[in-house]
Amino acid sequence: MLSLLLLLLLLPSRGCVEAPGLAPLPRLAPLQSPDLLYADGLRAYAAGAWERAVALLREALRSRAEVGRARRDCGARCAAEPGTELPPVPSSDPGSDFSLGPWERLLLRAALRRAECLSQCAVRRLGPRGAAGHRAVRALQDAFRRREPYNYLQRAYYQLKKLDLAVAAAHTFYVANPKHLQIREDLVKYHRMSGVRRQSFRDLENPLHWAAYDEGLELLKRQEIAAALPLLEEALRESLAQMENCRAQCEGPEEQLTEEEEKESGLYEAIAGHWIRVLQCRQRCPGAVATRPGQDSPISDFLPSQLWQLQKAHAQVGNLSQAMENALSILLFYPEDEAVKGTLNKYQKLLGEQRPDLSAREDIRHFVLQSLGEKKLLYYAMVHLGTSFKDPDPWTPEDLIPEGLRKKLREDQEKRPWDSKLPEPESLAKWRESHFLDGVTLTQDAGQLNGSERAVLDGLLTPAECEILLQLAKDAAKSGDGYRSRRSPHTPHELFEGLTVLRAAQLARAGAVGRRGAKLLLEASERARNLTQAYFSPEWPLHLSFTHLVCRSAIDGEQEQRMDLSHPVHADNCLLDPYSGECWKEPPAYTYRDYSGLLYLNDDFQGGDLFFTEPDALTVTAQVRPQCGRLVAFSSGGENPHGVWAVTKGRRCTLALWHTWAPEHMEQDRAEAEMLLQEQEEPEEGEIPSGDSSPEPPSRRPQKARMEVERQRPAREEL
């Protein structure tokens, strides 16, 4: 079975390559390795040799593009090389009996001839060392994919006073890395520079299919159909070309197996495993092409949607034959689509007897047949070799999948993890038995948040309780509270206001705010502490070390082109060093903090999401949208660097909490606040308070009460 599968894998794809017999490829000057050029460029950059750094980094980008083109062209040429065709398989039945000897020799001969062709082609295109001299490690491949050379280029160009090129390089890197914090700050600075033109913010690597696609859709919106058509056709052609480029990259050299992996794999298993990975990679290419730079998810049904736009545009300008060709092409993906069938019937009636004999587009037919052939081999490998394959396409016909496997996949579909309850830590499951946790749900665990000791839990507060605490913040929060009275301690574009539990209790005792809100502030923080201890530290008691009701409000007129943060990336109990990836647990950091919590009160604002990063403080790993009653809890160390995206509209209010295992660092103000609130119970609604039978008018009492509180000991300031 392995031999037969390998033979099938080595068969060239029909109709996908140039015809044999073309003139030989030209011999080009040797091409330097892109990874070595990139490494030399980084050394020049570190030494401050800006001109040399720019030259090397640009050459690395050019070399990588040329290596990709060479692999694509050589792969296509060798697939069509005369004499490499395999004879027919003896039987179409995969389980039929045949002698392995001749087939093994045939397989070896085909593989050697294909390798010889590729090697000679690579030498002609890439130089004496051929493809072997251009083998990049996975880390460098990822660096090029993330467009990291452009980040270094923009800084080198800036040093050379070439602002136009610096801005273009920065924007190119930003498009693929929109969550990269430093590049956002750099672009803010470029926007504010007087010598920078708006046209400079351009993507130097904008794939042609996206450029044509976006421009074509924009013209369609303006009803400029004739101008849109050539762009939409170009977008489709370039999309298919990009897929071929992607498929060629899948055939590149892969990293070496470890010694143990080599021992565990036989010859045929190793070869089959490699080719199965190639096919799996090829199946991901349509999704990669349909994913915009910087995005995580592809546009659904990218090719069929382009075909639909094309058929509509052709019909609008009277090209009914071309409209029918594109509609017929959609049926290759979805043969039973009623909307497409209805459209075709309408076109056929309009053409009447003059209707030509039409069929689907050849380029789309080739793509579909090629993809289905690869899927068939992958499903065959699943059945007979025990491999895995997750089909990324919704249009794969069910009858392509072997019947036994079809049943198993259907059963797996019914057991999808997102249809079942999330697994819960044992400690949380025990706590659920108590009345306190009724209504609380685990929304995201550490795995879903791409980190360690992180969790999102919902349901800690009701909407009515959130409103009470929001009103308390509105009535009592003080500008700059907790940050040495600095009105905007983190960004000049937001107003920062805070309230501690002691100050809330003092204001409530003086009658400036309702006692109910001050008491709920204490109760809500205690709920969060209990839940955090139950989830993360069931064996060791946690104590609250500081409780802070915090609101951040966007300042009107300060939000245009804003790209800074509401709260910079930091860790809560150590000093984060993004350059080394270390987090130094020493003063002035609050080293006694062990766990942190953020209990959100509202979501009626723009921006303001919490996000976690890698230790570099740049690479975002997860983010959480605030909402009433949602608690984000996490350990306070360097494993959880976090920040807050800019609040660009409205007011964001949160109950920030820090917990400690050390009793000596318990929140002393908390005990005093509890005593103040217990001295006098709040009267029921409509009840006259005891004591003075003629209290001051409400309009005067709060002002006097606030003045009294301000004269008392100020709340402890925290960073």
Side-chain angles (χ1 to χ4, degrees), residues 104 347 387:
E104 288 176 339
Y347 293 156
T387 61

Side-chain angles (χ1 to χ4, degrees), residues 65 73 103 157 263 342 436 478 486 507 556 602 643 669 676 705:
D73 295 344
W103 284 97
Y157 279 132
K263 289 179 180 178
F436 170 73
K478 179 183 176 184
R486 287 180 290 162
L507 289 170
D556 292 340
N602 65 322
D669 291 349
L676 286 173

Side-chain angles (χ1 to χ4, degrees), residues 408-425:
K408 182 179 182 301
L409 292 175
R410 195 178 297 116
E411 291 174 353
D412 291 343
Q413 184 77 3
E414 294 171 356
K415 298 176 183 177
R416 292 178 301 181
W418 51 86
D419 286 338
S420 58
K421 291 184 178 180
L422 291 167
E424 299 175 337

Side-chain angles (χ1 to χ4, degrees), residues 333-549:
F333 297 93
Y334 296 104
E336 304 303 323
D337 191 293
E338 294 299 329
V340 177
K341 288 182 176 180
T343 300
L344 279 170
N345 289 334
K346 181 178 72 174
Y347 293 156
Q348 289 171 348
K349 290 178 181 177
L350 290 172
L351 287 171
E353 295 181 358
Q354 300 178 352
R355 181 176 63 209
D357 186 15
L358 298 173
S359 60
R361 298 172 58 123
E362 187 55 37
D363 51 0
I364 299 298
R365 182 185 298 278
H366 159 66
F367 167 79
V368 171
L369 292 178
Q370 177 179 256
S371 183
L372 290 178
E374 292 169 354
K375 292 177 193 291
K376 194 169 185 178
L377 289 173
L378 286 167
Y379 283 124
Y380 175 88
M382 285 183 72
V383 173
H384 297 283
L385 303 181
T387 61
S388 61
F389 169 55
K390 184 177 180 180
D391 196 333
D393 297 317
W395 50 268
T396 302
E398 193 175 76
D399 57 6
L400 184 80
I401 306 171
E403 186 174 350
L405 183 60
R406 200 182 312 164
K407 181 181 178 182
K408 182 179 182 301
L409 292 175
R410 195 178 297 116
E411 291 174 353
D412 291 343
Q413 184 77 3
E414 294 171 356
K415 298 176 183 177
R416 292 178 301 181
W418 51 86
D419 286 338
S420 58
K421 291 184 178 180
L422 291 167
E424 299 175 337
E426 183 180 355
S427 59
L428 184 62
K430 291 179 181 177
W431 270 81
R432 280 192 176 281
E433 298 174 4
S434 69
H435 179 73
F436 170 73
L437 285 177
D438 282 353
V440 174
T441 59
L442 173 63
T443 305
Q444 289 179 287
D445 59 18
Q448 293 163 311
L449 291 170
N450 301 316
S452 62
E453 292 206 279
R454 304 173 182 173
V456 176
L457 301 111
D458 285 325
L460 268 76
L461 294 171
T462 66
E465 289 174 326
C466 287
E467 286 299 323
I468 292 172
L469 292 175
L470 287 170
Q471 186 62 45
L472 175 66
K474 182 178 179 181
D475 293 340
K478 179 183 176 184
S479 178
D481 176 80
Y483 288 83
R484 298 177 177 86
S485 299
R486 287 180 290 162
R487 178 173 180 267
S488 302
H490 304 304
T491 168
H493 307 297
E494 295 176 17
L495 172 65
F496 181 95
E497 298 170 296
L499 178 68
T500 62
V501 290
L502 177 57
R503 188 163 179 272
Q506 291 169 341
L507 289 170
R509 184 172 183 271
V513 298
R515 190 179 299 267
R516 185 181 181 190
K519 291 182 69 174
L520 180 58
L521 181 61
L522 285 168
E523 183 186 340
S525 58
E526 183 63 17
R527 290 182 201 172
R529 186 202 66 79
N530 280 332
L531 188 56
T532 303
Q533 177 179 311
Y535 193 93
F536 293 112
S537 182
E539 305 299 328
W540 297 91
L542 284 177
H543 313 281
L544 278 162
S545 66
F546 191 52
T547 306
H548 205 193
L549 178 56

Side-chain angles (χ1 to χ4, degrees), residues 116-167:
E116 180 186 20
C117 176
L118 289 171
S119 177
Q120 292 177 352
C121 180
V123 168
R124 288 195 298 270
R125 290 292 298 269
L126 303 176
R129 293 184 298 167
H134 298 272
R135 181 175 301 183
V137 297
R138 184 70 52 83
L140 284 174
Q141 292 175 349
D142 290 342
F144 279 106
R145 179 181 54 80
R146 294 191 300 266
R147 302 186 180 183
E148 287 185 5
Y150 287 99
N151 196 17
Y152 293 100
L153 273 173
Q154 66 107 355
R155 294 173 177 273
Y157 279 132
Y158 178 80
Q159 295 293 334
L160 294 170
K161 305 286 192 297
K162 297 180 179 180
L163 277 184
D164 182 68
L165 293 172
V167 172

Side-chain angles (χ1 to χ4, degrees), residues 698-713:
S699 60
R700 291 177 55 196
R701 288 186 67 227
Q703 182 178 2
K704 182 178 179 181
R706 288 177 188 277
M707 293 173 62
E708 177 186 342
V709 171
E710 294 303 327
R711 287 196 298 268
Q712 299 184 31
R713 177 169 60 89

Side-chain angles (χ1 to χ4, degrees), residues 554-587:
I555 299 176
D556 292 340
E558 293 282 336
Q559 306 305 315
E560 186 177 359
Q561 294 183 342
R562 182 182 168 193
M563 298 181 73
D564 66 329
L565 298 175
S566 176
H567 200 134
V569 177
H570 62 286
D572 286 338
N573 70 8
C574 53
L575 303 176
L576 186 64
D577 181 1
Y579 299 101
S580 67
E582 296 290 336
C583 202
W584 309 107
K585 205 163 184 179
E586 58 189 40

